[in-house]
Amino acid sequence: MPPSPYSAPDNLGEALGLAAAPGARVLAGGTDLLIQTRAGRLAPTAMVDLKRIDRAMGIRPAGQGFVIGAATPCTALRDDAALVAAWPGVVEAASLIGSVQVRNRASLGGNLCNASPAADSVPALIAAGATAVVAGPGGEREVPVEAIPAGPGRTTLAPGELVIELRLPPRPPGGGDAYLRLTPRTEMDIAVVGVGAALVLDGSGRCTAARIALGAVAPTALLVEAAGAALVGTKLEEGAIAAMLAAIDAAISPIDDQRASAAYRRRIAGVLATRAVARAAARARGEQA
Amino acid sequence: MNPPEQSFRVVGTRPVRPDGADKVTGRALYGTDFALAGMLHGAVLRSPHAHARIRGIDASRALALPGVKAVVTGADFPEAASVAIAGESAANLRDIARNVMARDKALYEGHAVAAVAATSPAIARAALALIAVDYEVLPHATSIAAAIAPDAPLLHDDLFTPGLKPRPETPSNLALHVAIDTGDAAAALAGAAAVAGGHYTTQPVHQGYIEPHACVAQWNADGQAQIWASSQGAFMIRSLVAGALGLKQADIRVTPLEIGGGFGGKTTVYLEPVALQLARQAGRPVRLEMSRSEVFRATGPAPGAVIDIRLGADKDGMLVGAEMTFHYTAGAFPGAAAHPAALLALAGYKVPNRKITGWEVVCNLPSSAAYRAPGAPQVAFAVESCLDELALQLGIDPIELRLKNAVGPGDTGPMGLPHGQIGLIECLEAARAHPHYSAPLAPGETRGVAAGGWANYGGPSTAAVALAEDGSVLVTTGSPDIGGSRAAMAMMAAETLGVPYETVRVTIADTASIGFSFLTGGSRTTFATGHAVIAAANQVIATARARAAQIWGVAADTVAWRDGAAHGTAGDSAGKVLTLAEIAGKAANAGGPISAEVGVNPAGWLPGFGVHICDCALDAETGQVKVTRYTAIQDVGRAIHPAYVEGQLQGGAAQGIGWALNEAYVYGADGRMENPGFLDYRVPVASDLPMIDTVLVDKPNPDHPYGVKGVGETPIVPPLAAVANAVSRAAGRRQRHLPMSPEQVLLGGDA
Amino acid sequence: MPRIQLMRPLGEVWFAGAEQLEIDTANLFTLVAALDARAPGFAAEAELHYAFAVDGRVVADWATPLTPASEVLILPRISGG
């Protein structure tokens, strides 16, 4: 690894100043950045560690919702009972990243800004309607999570900008979410396909809102609004699921690579979407934790 | 022939291994841990092309970089003689030398073309970027089909397929032809009541040892060399480095470091000759170590295979005939274990008519290396799958079918010799009786079973046993400890001498400090080096008895040895006892220190057979397979240390499950490996596997004092088919292509 | 005279296809020397790559004496990983 100046400022202002340098990279858990730098795929001129900044660490209530510091290790999400109860799909996605050891470092902010199309937590966050707080030289802005990735390894962040927090809304009454992915191995693997689903059911079991997002089937994690729309107003009957699957099939653009063929990804997207919706619905009905 | 029932004090117990504490606390020195003062850091420039002529190399800019102390290329190495080397993989000194550093052609992506030594790893890597290699890129072939096509690019224009008669007049990529033809297989198959068969494929797989290759080399002022390296044989390194560089063996002292896994993949050299040439040029010690990517791209995968097979049985399930043709990928240089593959393919069964044809194919992949039982798992996958099909066709229990056909002692073995005390039948019976085999399956689960065997080996070994002045015991061998052999050696010495295990310490010596031993491979070390340790311990006993006799003034043959002490039986000595410690304490005044060094080349090793049972659950919508229960049963002769023998069975099973389900070299159309890392080269992780239960079947080897049979290689032979048979039954479709990744199981055709 | 059997393809490679030879010889050292005289290069190859079985058992000691009734099988050696 070529030497990169490393700094760990304890306030956001200083971090923004350091991150503004050309070629600087923000470091949260480092589970992608350090690996890619060692492998020679990245050569940052500086690494700016966010972990000493209070806002970047920890999970805080915000009304009935949550603020999650961008550098908070994924392990901490699983330890937060209120978060687990409110957004089990987001937590299960974060709990699938890497391995136990990786999750003790890896963060939602890093997973988002690394901008891998296969990032596990991103479809779950998108389905949940999460937002990202972007800090930069010009101040802060809050954007939907799906607005951050721009393509494999690329984000919409302007030079000098970084994600400092992620925000999750309150779990709506009758709401439930889920994330499922397929990997050949149980751990230490990259999703062949990942699907996040969040939906709301009324007292009669009718779906009043639904968001479906997929990973590893497009250049970025993909919110398929038409898939959610296909479920709204239905009781998730076979026909509604078929319509959702048609919408997904129309929206995704998987590729062939050494991990899987496009044809397999397309097929698995449907299988996992069906299962994720069923799981989210079971949670919405209170049948499953 | 069975030896009398023996009772043991130490053999068969489970003491803590002597190297354990250092290994779990991180104190043990592995390949990348060793350092010398003033050491330089090396790096290897590797070909980005699968096949290219090297027209020229300009290293002047690299040499000019401050901190760079040496650059070597193929021109800095002597042209090694074409000399055959014992072993299954790249088996010619000239090939090994050319694999270590390309000369006129780069034969695979990752083939070393130059190396640098510098004052820091970063400078060394920066220097690599300054070396200009003028490549003429040539067409490449990374698959068997491409390499044997009529218009295939030729890797070696001097390769005329050996084993063919008449000798071919034109060179080709067919590196070896082997044939076995007994009886009339075609007629037998034509008359068979049931025939199973098909076209099977497996991909090259890596041994997957955690420790990368690493060494430190030093060229002494007097022209002698020292090498510290992690490998399966310090003497192997000495021999290959001496041969590749034209040095005298005694001028090279190789010190073995701890080895973090080898599995056959560390039975040859990659870095050591290069590090030594760099050290010679720089005048300073040099460390070379591989990254994981280099390990994948430049060290030995086990061969991939294409196998066409037909196996026939009569209506009672008796096998009548077999036809098999297989091609194995040798990689860049000849050597892919086709011979043992052909010999062992049907070794477990009595098949009167058999026609087996095997080919090794050179292609633009890393030169293949041994992997546990080299050559055997691929053909066993095909044979044991066919047996499962025959069992289904004939309505016979798959273990019963194997029992009907299994070989036992006295049956003719694959070499045409009668089998000794082998234990396949006992393993099959143990499998049938095991609770796993009769356990009800959960809905959606299926069960597969497969057997497999390996020849094992003996080979030369040296061991020394010396007594310290207080009677504690020092055992020295030249066999690197991969699987707990220090413990096994200490236990056999303690058993022989009659002393507690804790009083025996084992050293793995450098090549200047003990006589020659063949490498740790072929499941030979506990058997052959164990023979040497026992023989040396017996010599020490003989000396100790003679000393006791002197002290008592009686004839040596009246002194008995038991429980670690000399016991007088004659005249005044009757009832007298001198312990080993007492004799050691008097040694200086009784003729000098007591020690013995013994070299042996024992015959009488026996093949190992095993039977594995695998339960799996298949997700029919995704093709994903989960192994839910697994039992490995093996005839181990007698386990010196049962826990480490069980570990061998578990490790082999885990690696075989990986081979079956997810491991494969993936190459792009550009001839470059696309998954040279553990993220995308998917060895199983702990959570992928259930507890692997083991059953050690004890059928002692009468030709070893303690009944030892080799155990380390056999357990990789059955798993491929054990898993595939379970998945085939779940999928309702015969699985003939590895790996059985989720996509392969769901969408894969049966080409 | 000891009967020498050659496992395929050794007969084809060295002895013009003969699979069986009869050679009057004292032990495996003298046998290998005799075979090397017939097929130069055989000894070097045998030392590295061939195994010898006498009367049905592989032997590692080439000093093993041969009697007129001995059956010797020459076969490829398998070591392993």
Side-chain angles (χ1 to χ4, degrees), chain A residues 183 186-187 259 261 264 275, chain B residues 621-622 624 680 687-688 743:
Chain A
T183 53
T186 48
E187 290 182 281
R259 291 185 183 132
S261 70
Y264 183 70
R275 292 179 181 181
Chain B
E621 288 184 320
T622 64
Q624 192 148 34
D680 285 309
S687 52
D688 290 331
E743 177 164 358

Side-chain angles (χ1 to χ4, degrees), chain B residues 154-550:
Chain B
L154 209 55
L155 270 75
H156 306 283
D157 56 16
D158 58 350
L159 175 59
F160 298 86
T161 313
L164 277 182
K165 196 184 166 190
R167 181 181 188 271
E169 290 181 1
T170 52
S172 75
N173 293 326
L174 292 166
L176 184 68
H177 172 253
V178 295
I180 294 171
D181 197 351
T182 307
D184 188 339
L189 286 164
V195 175
H199 180 71
Y200 286 78
T201 61
T202 74
Q203 300 305 311
V205 294
H206 198 269
Q207 295 81 353
Y209 32 81
I210 299 300
E211 181 200 30
H213 298 261
C215 69
V216 174
Q218 171 173 282
W219 188 263
N220 298 348
D222 60 2
Q224 297 183 58
Q226 279 189 271
I227 295 172
W228 294 261
S230 156
S231 79
Q232 289 179 239
F235 289 96
M236 171 275 297
I237 292 178
R238 183 179 76 174
S239 149
L240 296 183
V241 170
L245 301 183
L247 304 172
K248 281 206 297 291
Q249 290 188 346
D251 286 347
I252 305 170
R253 179 175 186 171
V254 182
T255 302
L257 302 172
E258 291 299 339
I259 176 168
F263 312 112
K266 292 180 183 165
T267 56
T268 188
V269 292
Y270 297 99
L271 298 175
E272 292 82 359
V274 180
L276 192 53
Q277 285 300 73
L278 286 169
R280 191 178 196 171
Q281 203 182 95
R284 284 166 67 175
V286 174
R287 171 193 285 166
L288 273 179
E289 62 184 82
M290 290 192 190
S291 67
R292 181 61 54 190
S293 162
E294 289 179 287
V295 170
F296 276 111
R297 290 183 295 129
T299 72
V306 173
I307 303 164
D308 290 286
I309 183 171
R310 291 204 305 148
L311 185 61
D314 68 17
K315 62 180 179 14
D316 299 321
M318 301 304 295
L319 296 174
V320 295
E323 278 183 354
M324 170 157 45
T325 299
F326 65 86
H327 290 79
Y328 277 13
T329 58
F333 297 99
H339 229 125
L343 289 169
L344 289 161
L346 292 161
Y349 307 106
K350 291 174 269 192
V351 188
N353 304 288
R354 49 178 84 184
K355 183 174 170 59
I356 300 173
T357 306
W359 301 89
E360 293 182 1
V361 181
V362 291
C363 53
N364 298 110
L365 300 176
S367 186
S368 75
Y371 183 10
R372 285 191 188 250
Q378 298 93 327
V379 286
F381 165 51
V383 168
E384 295 287 325
S385 294
C386 287
L387 285 167
D388 197 55
E389 275 192 292
L390 288 175
L392 287 166
Q393 283 182 35
L394 294 166
I396 300 174
D397 171 86
I399 291 180
E400 187 59 38
L401 178 74
R402 287 169 173 84
L403 271 169
K404 282 172 180 279
N405 294 285
V407 292
D411 287 330
T412 302
M415 313 288 193
L417 301 171
H419 272 301
Q421 294 299 311
I422 57 168
L424 173 59
I425 291 168
E426 288 83 350
C427 288
L428 287 163
E429 286 168 345
R432 188 169 56 180
H434 194 279
H436 181 175
Y437 196 60
S438 48
L441 287 160
E445 285 187 355
T446 51
R447 179 166 295 150
V449 61
W454 177 248
N456 292 331
Y457 188 48
S461 278
T462 304
V465 174
L467 300 184
E469 303 95 291
D470 63 358
S472 54
V473 180
L474 297 130
V475 173
T476 306
T477 79
S479 298
D481 179 356
I482 301 186
S485 65
R486 281 186 186 88
M489 297 308 146
M491 291 172 75
M492 286 187 278
E495 186 73 55
T496 307
L497 293 167
V499 299
Y501 167 77
E502 292 74 19
T503 67
V504 182
R505 292 290 175 250
V506 180
T507 298
I508 314 298
D510 66 73
T511 57
S513 303
I514 185 77
F516 176 81
S517 289
F518 188 67
L519 53 76
T520 295
S523 303
R524 62 174 289 277
T525 299
T526 306
F527 173 80
T529 306
H531 255 297
V533 167
I534 294 163
N538 278 323
Q539 281 196 17
V540 164
I541 290 171
T543 305
R545 287 173 59 210
R547 298 288 173 85
Q550 287 170 2

